[in-house]
Amino acid sequence: MRKSVLVILSILLFQSGSYAAFFQPQGNPYEGMGYVGTLPDLTGKFQPTEPIDAKPVFEKTQKFNSEKEIKPIPRDNPAFVNIILKQDKTSPYINDLTEFIDMLEKIYDSIEENENVQRFAARVYFFNQNAEYFRQKYEDKPESNYISYEKLLQLSNQAKTVSQLRSEAEKYSPYLAYSGSGQIYNSNNIDQQISYLKDEIEKTINILREAR
């Protein structure tokens, strides 16, 4: 009887162990391997971006030489001919005189502002060089008979003389007595010569401005 009980208990215990082992959760064989499911196919809906050539926002214009776009010149219109096509009648001689006006005004201002001898001499030298070129340019032409031509060359010689006088006075005055030959370097004489030059510059500028 006792043996029968033991046999029945053994059978029950064996069945309970098998049942527990059957329902015990098993470990995931894919654990640690990430997502291993099936992803949807997106290639059918995806369209790759293709580069697009940039185009100007404005439309192409017609060629500049298009006969339809260019109107003919109204040569029969006196206003157009006399104003638009009117040629510059200013002669090269007048243009040269205009440049001399600027040079002479600078020398005049130099005297007014009492600039030093070196500055004054530099301005006069530039004027003399241009006056010499001016003389050679027009000496054999009708312009050489103009008052403006003669006056300009006379002023060039006068300005050169005064400039040399001022330079020599500054250089030699410590060694000369203001008597006899040294009297020409006297400050009063130099001031008087500069005053004469200033007046002649003013007269010459007016002559040059009135030249046509």
Side-chain angles (χ1 to χ4, degrees):
M1 181 70 179
R2 185 176 181 181
K3 290 182 180 180
S4 298
V5 173
L6 292 174
V7 171
I8 293 172
L9 289 175
S10 298
I11 293 173
L12 293 174
L13 290 173
F14 176 78
Q15 291 178 350
S16 299
S18 299
Y19 181 82
F22 180 82
F23 289 97
Q24 184 177 0
Q26 300 296 322
N28 186 359
Y30 300 104
E31 184 177 359
M33 297 178 64
Y35 179 75
V36 294
T38 302
L39 294 175
D41 185 8
L42 301 179
T43 57
K45 298 181 179 180
F46 176 75
Q47 297 294 334
T49 303
E50 297 181 357
I52 302 176
D53 295 335
K55 296 181 179 179
V57 296
F58 53 88
E59 296 180 358
K60 294 182 179 179
T61 58
Q62 295 183 356
K63 294 182 179 180
F64 177 77
N65 294 327
S66 175
E67 296 180 357
K68 296 181 180 179
E69 296 298 325
I70 299 179
K71 296 181 179 180
I73 297 176
R75 297 185 180 276
D76 56 343
N77 188 338
F80 182 85
V81 175
N82 294 332
I83 298 176
I84 305 301
L85 297 183
K86 185 178 181 180
Q87 297 181 353
D88 184 10
K89 294 184 178 180
T90 304
S91 68
Y93 180 80
I94 298 299
N95 291 334
D96 290 340
L97 295 184
T98 302
E99 294 182 4
F100 278 112
I101 291 174
D102 182 65
M103 298 179 205
L104 296 180
E105 286 179 342
K106 289 180 178 180
I107 297 176
Y108 186 92
D109 293 339
S110 179
I111 296 174
E112 282 279 291
E113 298 170 6
N114 196 26
E115 286 187 330
N116 58 52
V117 176
Q118 290 75 17
R119 186 77 173 177
F120 173 80
R123 295 187 185 280
V124 172
Y125 177 80
F126 182 72
F127 167 55
N128 292 150
Q129 292 296 109
N130 282 272
E132 176 60 21
Y133 173 77
F134 178 79
R135 182 188 67 79
Q136 296 176 3
K137 183 177 180 180
Y138 296 106
E139 62 180 349
D140 296 327
K141 298 180 180 180
E143 289 84 354
S144 61
N145 297 317
Y146 296 168
I147 296 177
S148 55
Y149 177 87
E150 296 179 357
K151 189 64 178 177
L152 194 58
L153 296 184
Q154 291 176 1
L155 182 63
S156 175
N157 292 330
Q158 183 179 358
K160 182 177 180 180
T161 300
V162 174
S163 178
Q164 291 177 343
L165 182 63
R166 289 191 65 185
S167 298
E168 291 174 358
E170 184 175 89
K171 183 177 181 180
Y172 301 120
S173 59
Y175 314 103
L176 296 174
Y178 294 125
S179 60
S181 60
Q183 188 174 1
I184 61 173
Y185 300 113
N186 186 288
S187 59
N188 292 331
N189 179 58
I190 293 177
D191 291 342
Q192 188 177 24
Q193 296 301 323
I194 293 176
S195 179
Y196 292 154
L197 176 62
K198 182 180 175 182
D199 292 340
E200 290 302 315
I201 290 176
E202 189 172 5
K203 293 177 183 179
T204 303
I205 289 176
N206 291 332
I207 293 174
L208 299 185
R209 285 176 176 170
E210 293 176 357
R212 292 292 186 271

